[in-house]
Amino acid sequence: MHKTVLITGGTSGIGLGIAREFAQTRKYNLVLNGLEPNGNEIAQALADEFKIKVCFHPANLLKPEQIRELARFAEEENGTVDVLVCNAGIQHVSPIDEFPEEKWDAIIGINLSSAFHLTKAVWPGMKKRNFGRIINIASAHGLVASEFKSAYIASKHGIVGFTKTIALEGAPYNITANAICPGYVRTPLVEKQIADQAKSHGIPESEVISKVMLYKQAVKDFVPVELLGKLAVFLASEEAKTLTGTALPVDGGWNAQ
Ligand code: NAD
């Protein structure tokens, strides 16, 4: 009997990497969500490659009603949502006195509030079946701050706190909740911030990777998406039932300093 994993932002970057690792086990049906216009084709390509069921739903995570619809869709298609990966996220880099109010609201909405709405929607089913795995993709910035990312860092610290709370509430029902805290991963989200990082720090774009992004990591490499995917698959397993309430740094030693 296949379990079902629902992955927000599953059609790009880290979310797609996580989807591929779940797909490779052939033990899961996948439901992907994201704003990519070719979401259906991405889902179909995974289904064809791994001979599993993969669905796509384009809910906008800024809209709570669409989030609830996404959870309903996943349960109707597969009967259950056993694993929830709240991964979708956006970024904006600018000093606080120039930080646009609408960017603050969107970052808190997508990176933090959507995880609340989605967790609330899948919770009754997980409780009833006495099994649930909630995996929130936070960030090294859920544990430490850097300048010019006020909203992002507030959202990521927030999701670490939310994760701990639902770990406590889920324990009697075999529902675990953990946050994965990656360092820099080379995805569209990172590519898009290079120009703004250069402007905010007053350095050329060519120096952003070495002087800003990888500067704080002891290991001077981007974190591979495969590592994050394999960790998510492990956190979703039966064996990981007592691993809960954590914020796991996968950040090349950034948080060791
Ligand atoms: P990405 O830009 O490649 O993917 C983001 C995904 O979120 C996309 O699928 C996009 O469609 C989706 N999304 C954005 N707004 C949405 C909305 N309103 N409704 C539905 N979906 C929406 O980014 P990524 O780097 O893969 O980031 C994934 C997660 O990992 C984010 O939460 C990010 O903060 C976190 N993270 C990334 C890094 C990194 O270096 N890339 C490091 C630490 C944490």
Side-chain angles (χ1 to χ4, degrees), residues 8-16 33-36 58-62 86-91 110-111 137-141 152 156 180-190 192-193 222 225:
T8 68
T11 42
S12 178
I14 294 172
L16 183 54
N33 156 256
L35 295 184
E36 281 64 32
N60 182 342
L61 298 179
L62 281 169
C86 295
N87 160 79
I90 59 167
Q91 173 64 283
I110 296 166
N111 296 14
I137 306 305
S139 169
H141 281 131
Y152 186 84
K156 296 300 186 180
I180 297 179
C181 299
Y184 278 94
V185 188
R186 194 133 199 190
T187 67
L189 179 138
V190 161
K192 279 186 254 170
Q193 65 179 271
F222 285 97
V225 288

Side-chain angles (χ1 to χ4, degrees), residues 17-224:
I18 291 174
R20 288 191 66 81
E21 294 297 330
F22 275 101
Q24 272 174 34
T25 69
R26 294 197 169 84
K27 290 183 184 154
Y28 294 88
N29 298 324
L30 269 57
V31 179
L32 308 182
N33 156 256
L35 295 184
E36 281 64 32
N38 59 339
N40 274 315
E41 287 97 276
I42 294 171
Q44 191 57 51
L46 274 182
D48 292 344
E49 185 177 349
F50 296 105
K51 311 282 179 279
I52 53 165
K53 181 172 177 187
V54 186
C55 304
F56 170 72
H57 191 285
N60 182 342
L61 298 179
L62 281 169
K63 315 265 185 199
E65 188 41 55
Q66 292 189 25
I67 296 175
R68 287 187 280 275
E69 174 52 35
L70 167 63
R72 272 196 298 274
F73 168 81
E75 285 178 351
E76 277 165 22
E77 281 289 329
N78 301 293
T80 62
V81 174
D82 306 287
V83 182
L84 171 63
V85 182
C86 295
N87 160 79
I90 59 167
Q91 173 64 283
H92 184 77
V93 179
S94 87
I96 184 69
D97 49 346
E98 295 165 16
F99 210 96
E101 282 80 6
E102 64 278 11
K103 287 283 182 198
W104 172 276
D105 290 342
I107 289 172
I108 299 296
I110 296 166
N111 296 14
L112 177 58
S113 303
S114 75
F116 158 73
H117 293 297
L118 206 41
T119 302
K120 186 173 173 191
V122 300
W123 196 259
M126 288 182 171
K127 233 169 117 171
K128 197 167 86 194
R129 291 185 299 276
N130 203 46
F131 183 91
R133 298 285 184 262
I134 294 173
I135 301 166
N136 293 323
I137 306 305
S139 169
H141 281 131
L143 303 168
V144 288
S146 298
E147 59 280 74
F148 313 131
K149 293 187 170 179
S150 52
Y152 186 84
I153 285 159
S155 74
K156 296 300 186 180
H157 276 67
I159 200 146
V160 167
F162 176 64
T163 306
K164 291 181 185 176
T165 308
I166 55 172
L168 299 182
E169 294 189 28
Y173 311 106
N174 190 26
I175 302 173
T176 68
N178 292 284
I180 297 179
C181 299
Y184 278 94
V185 188
R186 194 133 199 190
T187 67
L189 179 138
V190 161
E191 301 290 347
K192 279 186 254 170
Q193 65 179 271
I194 290 181
D196 290 337
Q197 289 271 26
K199 188 167 158 237
S200 297
H201 286 270
I203 57 174
E205 286 187 28
S206 58
E207 293 180 5
V208 166
I209 289 177
S210 61
K211 292 209 168 139
V212 180
M213 294 183 168
L214 300 184
Y215 177 72
K216 292 179 180 171
Q217 295 188 193
V219 180
K220 305 291 179 197
D221 283 330
F222 285 97
V223 176

